[in-house]
């Protein structure tokens, strides 16, 4: 379909109002519902799923340290919008077709409120998954100001639920951020960038089969999904009118599998001030930025002295990244029109210093884990991606101790770059280094073939998602806490995540390590989730 670019104005997601707020707690109610919405004026309205009846969902804004309770409710119909592959683990025919569970991506949160993939629930909580523990989630927001997002995380159908529309921004603010005099209010705009394809009737297209169909199954999971249009804040190739002044944009790659390397056709610099985990130490001027699925970047674009200009946000990342085919690339994202009159004098600034950034000490790491990213084939000859050659149900092998610092070596043995996301914690990227992949496959011995490469300038901050490139070992360092319990780590290419490239891990207390290492530990470990007091389920 040849849809005209830049004919629909960019929508701004509304700010969600709390159901209750007092000095001690804030309470939200959030419904997941089916509805129709116009994604492009040349398309019929598209049937979608969304939080509070809009796509993307409303933005949730909270204060650092604010105690927030959210009751997420599933009001969706029993039939899924998109084709389900019942051969995928977690999506077999013995579970309800439509299930949901919500994960606030990047949040440091108690385990039973983290959105564990098997803690799903159906409409009205009539059926729940084996790890469902509570209807009302608790978020203590023990974090600095940062850009997070919330989305579905159901085992086996995450790719379908997010693609159907279940995603939205979750912003944490603090006084330090306010003191910097950054662009704010109407001059601060969140941008969730995704790719989608459509049928002629305007409905969402998602493939039922791979390029080489699998005759034994009705629908077959695809290795990756790449849509042929770009959707920003729920509009296909939108434009936004701006004043000739500085604007702050919260960029989020919310796509299933597509990477974006963003730049402007005006070749102008823009200024990055934050990563996944909040403000960087110093702003940096850049002319392009690479964002893998789930990565965020906090940037300032200065439109001063550009009156009357039209600037196009471009993308030149191949799909799959980095060695994909040019035919899968979509090179246009959206347009900025500097056509609004200046409403007031622009007194906002791009500070020379943002906030302290303390590097974690490599010498403090008590454990160094070498973990492989693997590619193999399943019984139908389909690609399947694994972490450390283990499937979802294999015994838990990553059991960091509360308060400990670890270094993980992500050893990529595949041909793709993978965005690896860890729940609960933020980490720092140490380096990437080329190595002999074939030699490692034969002998399981690391032989480096190049020097350590420091993180890119736009990655020098707190992260929760890191790009692990092919032919490289990526090292990250992190301190585990402040909660104990069951979490997950996974590739955030959703087709990979759904088809086994996800593993549970558990944060344990030091005194429990000996008992947990006994032979029967792995049989019971997933049921040992701590229960913290929270408000009753009266909502």
């Amino acid at each position: 379909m040849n849809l005209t670019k830049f004919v629909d104005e960019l929508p701004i997601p509304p700010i969600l109002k709390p159901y209750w707020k007092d000095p001690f707690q804030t309470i939200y109610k959030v419904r997941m519902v089916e509805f129709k919405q116009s994604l492009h004026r040349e398309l019929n309205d598209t049937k979608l799923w969304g939080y509070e009846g809009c796509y993307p969902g409303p933005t949730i804004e909270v204060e650092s340290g604010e105690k927030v309770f959210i009751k997420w409710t599933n009001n969706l119909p029993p039939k899924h919008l998109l084709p389900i592959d019942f051969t995928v683990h977690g999506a077999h025919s013995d579970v309800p077709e439509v299930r949901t569970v919500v994960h606030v991506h990047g949040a440091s949160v108690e385990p039973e409120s983290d959105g564990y993939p098997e803690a799903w629930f159906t409409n009205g909580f009539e059926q729940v998954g084996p790890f469902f523990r509570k209807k009302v989630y608790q978020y203590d927001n023990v974090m600095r100001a940062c850009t997070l997002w919330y989305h579905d995380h159901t085992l086996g159908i995450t790719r379908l639920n997010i693609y159907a529309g279940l995603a939205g921004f979750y912003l944490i603010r603090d006084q330090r951020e306010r003191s910097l005099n950054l662009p704010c209010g109407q001059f601060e705009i969140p941008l969730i960038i995704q790719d989608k394809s459509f049928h002629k009737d305007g409905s969402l297209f998602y493939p039922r089969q791979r390029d080489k169909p699998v005759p034994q199954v009705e629908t077959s999971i695809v290795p990756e999904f790449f849509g042929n249009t770009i959707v920003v804040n729920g509009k296909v190739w939108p434009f936004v009118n701006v004043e000739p002044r500085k604007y702050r944009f919260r960029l989020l790659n919310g796509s299933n599998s597509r990477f974006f390397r963003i730049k402007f056709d005006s070749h102008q610099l823009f200024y990055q001030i934050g990563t996944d985990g909040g403000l960087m130490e110093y702003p940096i001027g850049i002319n392009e930025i690479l964002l893998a699925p789930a990565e965020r970047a906090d940037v300032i674009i200065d439109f001063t002295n550009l009156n009357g200009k039209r600037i196009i946000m471009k993308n030149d990342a191949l799909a799959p990244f980095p060695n994909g085919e040019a035919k899968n690339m979509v090179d246009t994202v959206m347009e900025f029109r500097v056509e609004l009159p200046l409403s007031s004098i622009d007194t906002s600034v791009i500070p020379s210093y943002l906030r302290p950034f303390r590097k974690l000490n490599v010498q403090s790491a008590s454990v160094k884990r070498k973990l492989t990213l693997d590619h193999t084939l399943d019984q139908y000859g389909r690609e399947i991606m694994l972490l450390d050659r283990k499937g979802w149900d294999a015994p838990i092998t990553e059991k960091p101790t509360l308060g400990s610092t670890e270094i993980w070596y992500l050893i990529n043995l595949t041909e793709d770059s993978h965005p690896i996301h860890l729940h609960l914690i933020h980490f720092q990227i140490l380096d990437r280094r080329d190595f002999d992949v074939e030699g490692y496959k034969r002998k399981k011995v690391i032989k480096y073939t190049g020097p350590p490469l420091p993180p890119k300038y736009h990655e020098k901050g707190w992260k929760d998602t890191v790009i692990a490139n092919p032919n490289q070992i990526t090292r990250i360092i992190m301190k585990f806490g402040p909660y104990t319990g069951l979490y997950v780590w996974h590739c955030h290419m959703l087709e990979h995540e759904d088809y086994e490239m996800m593993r549970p891990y558990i944060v344990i207390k030091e005194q429990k390590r000996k008992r947990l290492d006994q032979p029967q530990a792995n049989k019971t470990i997933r049921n040992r989730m701590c229960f913290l007091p929270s408000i009753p389920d009266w909502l």
Side-chain angles (χ1 to χ4, degrees):
M1 299 180 66
N2 295 316
L3 299 176
T4 307
K5 296 180 176 67
F6 318 138
V7 294
D8 288 301
E9 189 164 5
L10 176 81
I12 309 299
I15 305 298
L16 185 65
K17 294 181 178 180
Y19 174 78
W20 174 268
K21 187 177 179 68
D22 61 37
F24 308 103
Q25 62 187 358
T26 305
I27 300 172
Y28 292 92
K29 285 183 174 183
V30 184
R31 302 164 301 137
M32 294 165 249
V33 297
E34 183 175 279
F35 57 94
K36 286 191 173 184
Q37 182 173 314
S38 174
L39 303 187
H40 191 278
R41 66 174 56 183
E42 295 169 4
L43 283 175
N44 294 330
D45 287 359
T46 302
K47 185 182 291 185
L48 299 164
W49 291 356
Y51 300 102
E52 287 301 296
C54 61
Y55 161 68
T59 298
I60 299 174
E61 285 196 11
V62 304
E63 191 73 14
S64 177
E66 181 180 2
K67 189 177 292 293
V68 171
F69 298 91
I70 304 181
K71 184 174 184 180
W72 308 98
T73 56
N74 178 340
N75 292 355
L76 296 167
K79 179 70 176 174
H80 210 291
L81 275 179
L82 302 166
I84 294 178
D85 185 337
F86 293 103
T87 69
V88 171
H89 188 188
H92 301 321
S93 54
D94 58 347
V95 295
E97 186 170 316
V98 175
R99 314 174 306 287
T100 58
V101 64
V102 182
H103 169 56
V104 176
H105 181 116
S108 180
V109 63
E110 59 171 1
E112 54 272 358
S113 297
D114 185 55
Y116 193 73
E118 291 182 287
W120 50 261
F121 51 92
T122 64
N123 190 316
F125 300 100
E126 289 186 3
Q127 293 178 268
V128 298
F131 291 86
F132 178 86
R133 294 295 181 267
K134 54 166 59 174
K135 294 180 181 179
V136 180
Y137 280 15
Q138 176 177 330
Y139 303 94
D140 293 333
N141 298 303
V142 289
M143 309 169 68
R144 66 191 74 81
C146 53
T147 305
L148 309 181
W149 64 302
Y150 62 97
H151 62 77
D152 189 78
H153 210 281
T154 307
L155 188 68
I157 56 172
T158 296
R159 70 196 187 284
L160 305 179
N161 288 356
I162 293 180
Y163 186 69
L166 292 173
F169 277 97
Y170 187 104
L171 305 182
I172 300 180
R173 300 192 181 276
D174 65 17
Q175 192 55 42
R176 170 74 187 189
E177 178 192 57
R178 290 191 191 92
S179 70
L180 294 172
N181 194 24
L182 302 170
C184 62
Q186 63 181 311
F187 309 116
E188 178 187 8
I189 300 176
L191 300 176
I192 177 170
I193 307 171
Q194 299 174 301
D195 56 339
K196 296 188 185 297
S197 294
F198 302 94
H199 294 285
K200 289 184 178 181
D201 65 359
S203 61
L204 290 175
F205 167 82
Y206 190 88
R208 291 183 172 272
Q209 284 282 358
R210 305 162 68 233
D211 291 338
K212 295 181 180 179
V214 182
Q216 299 97 317
V217 293
E218 181 179 347
T219 65
S220 176
I221 190 167
V222 295
E224 299 92 18
F225 168 77
F226 304 111
N228 57 18
T229 70
I230 304 302
V231 180
V232 186
N233 288 3
K235 285 291 184 183
V236 176
W237 289 311
F239 70 90
V240 60
N241 288 313
V242 296
E243 299 179 17
R245 65 190 301 148
K246 293 183 287 295
Y247 280 75
R248 180 182 183 184
F249 292 95
R250 312 269 193 145
L251 304 180
L252 159 64
N253 181 351
S255 296
N256 281 33
S257 293
R258 183 180 294 280
F259 285 58
F260 288 96
R261 186 159 48 214
I262 289 171
K263 58 186 66 176
F264 297 100
D265 68 347
S266 58
H267 307 293
Q268 70 189 81
L269 287 178
F270 53 104
Y271 302 89
Q272 184 182 2
I273 60 172
T275 55
D276 300 337
L279 295 174
M280 305 164 73
E281 188 168 20
Y282 306 98
I284 58 171
I286 53 179
N287 54 24
E288 67 177 37
I289 188 169
L290 179 66
L291 292 177
E295 284 192 300
R296 285 90 68 209
D298 198 342
V299 304
I300 294 176
I301 304 176
D302 192 351
F303 298 105
T304 305
N305 300 323
L306 295 175
N307 303 56
K309 299 289 186 182
R310 294 191 175 189
I311 300 164
I312 298 175
M313 181 186 285
K314 305 289 288 184
N315 164 56
D316 68 358
L318 294 176
F321 190 82
N323 302 310
E325 300 180 61
K327 70 177 184 178
N328 291 330
M329 187 175 72
V330 183
D331 66 0
T332 302
V333 179
M334 63 175 293
E335 182 184 58
F336 300 87
R337 298 178 180 177
V338 193
E339 297 180 353
L340 292 179
L342 194 63
S343 58
S344 61
I345 297 173
D346 182 10
T347 59
S348 67
V349 298
I350 303 173
S352 59
Y353 183 78
L354 295 165
R355 75 181 313 151
F357 175 69
R358 182 181 62 84
K359 288 188 177 181
L360 295 176
N361 185 357
V362 174
Q363 303 304 319
S364 68
S366 58
V367 175
K368 297 180 180 179
R369 302 185 189 272
K370 294 179 172 62
L371 302 161
T372 57
L373 315 183
D374 306 287
H375 169 275
T376 186
L377 300 177
D378 70 2
Q379 60 179 320
Y380 302 108
R382 302 178 299 189
E383 290 182 346
I384 184 170
M385 300 286 183
L386 300 173
L387 296 173
D388 211 31
R389 298 200 66 80
K390 299 178 182 69
W392 170 252
D393 264 350
I396 297 174
T397 48
E398 287 70 61
K399 306 173 191 175
T401 303
L402 178 66
S404 67
T405 299
E406 296 194 359
I407 296 175
W408 288 18
Y409 292 64
L410 303 175
I411 305 169
N412 192 346
L413 305 178
T414 78
E415 296 179 354
D416 293 337
S417 291
H418 297 274
I420 301 300
H421 170 50
L422 276 72
H423 288 213
L424 175 64
I425 52 90
H426 286 165
F427 53 76
Q428 296 171 13
I429 303 172
L430 292 176
D431 52 44
R432 297 180 177 91
R433 197 169 183 180
D434 293 341
F435 75 111
D436 179 0
V437 175
E438 295 306 318
Y440 182 88
K441 290 179 179 178
R442 292 193 304 270
K443 300 179 180 180
K444 300 297 184 289
V445 174
I446 295 174
K447 180 182 178 182
Y448 291 113
T449 58
L453 304 172
K456 305 292 186 182
Y457 285 110
H458 69 270
E459 300 175 312
K460 291 186 176 180
W462 290 102
K463 297 280 292 171
D464 58 51
T465 305
V466 59
I467 298 174
N469 292 319
N471 305 313
Q472 287 185 336
I473 294 175
T474 302
R475 293 197 309 156
I476 57 176
I477 184 170
M478 55 280 201
K479 185 175 182 178
F480 287 91
Y483 304 98
T484 59
L486 189 62
Y487 297 92
V488 298
W489 66 288
H490 59 87
C491 175
H492 219 286
M493 295 173 74
L494 300 182
E495 282 72 25
H496 294 180
E497 172 185 339
D498 269 347
Y499 205 30
E500 296 297 316
M501 204 171 190
M502 178 164 60
R503 292 280 295 143
Y505 81 90
I506 188 165
V507 181
I508 61 176
K509 293 183 178 179
E510 180 63 38
Q511 62 266 30
K512 296 183 179 181
R513 176 179 289 277
K514 184 174 181 180
R515 183 162 65 88
L516 284 169
D517 285 342
Q518 298 304 312
Q520 295 301 313
N522 286 318
K523 185 176 181 180
T524 60
I525 202 166
R526 295 193 185 197
N527 293 319
R528 298 181 60 252
M529 300 175 72
C530 60
F531 294 91
L532 303 178
S534 67
I535 62 173
D537 293 344
W538 54 264
L539 283 173

